[in-house]
Amino acid sequence: MNVSHEVGLLVEEIQRLGSKNADGQTSVKFGVLFNDDRCANIFEALVGTLKAAKKKKVLTFQSELLLQGVHDNVDIILLQE
């Protein structure tokens, strides 16, 4: 699987579901992303794609690992639009 392609799709989905925060960056809650039907169909391993995107500094979030339920209110913030 092409990681760059997956990360690009993830950026599109965050832009679709998210909104601008006070700093003008696009942000979405992990729970919104995780529970979206379209994202569920696109991403086999959403958390893995999020970690890869964070490592590439495309986005950031305030947790080492994101778990559904526990981290639903964690903001995922795009660093590159």
Side-chain angles (χ1 to χ4, degrees):
M1 187 112 350
N2 184 344
V3 176
S4 294
H5 177 69
E6 289 269 314
V7 169
L9 291 173
L10 181 60
V11 168
E12 289 176 20
E13 293 307 306
I14 292 171
Q15 289 171 334
R16 178 177 68 87
L17 294 168
S19 57
K20 297 287 184 187
N21 62 18
D23 298 327
Q25 296 170 304
T26 303
S27 169
V28 66
K29 300 282 185 199
F30 174 65
V32 172
L33 201 60
F34 190 89
N35 292 313
D36 183 72
D37 288 338
R38 186 165 146 184
C39 286
N41 290 329
I42 294 172
F43 303 106
E44 221 171 280
L46 176 62
V47 173
T49 306
L50 284 165
K51 282 184 78 173
K54 185 177 182 180
K55 191 173 179 182
K56 290 177 174 264
K57 300 192 184 330
V58 173
L59 54 80
T60 190
F61 48 88
Q62 294 296 320
S63 183
E64 197 61 38
L65 178 67
L66 294 170
L67 300 172
Q68 195 260 333
V70 178
H71 297 108
D72 282 355
N73 285 322
V74 172
D75 286 313
I76 298 168
I77 302 166
L78 279 183
L79 301 174
Q80 301 173 13
E81 293 284 331

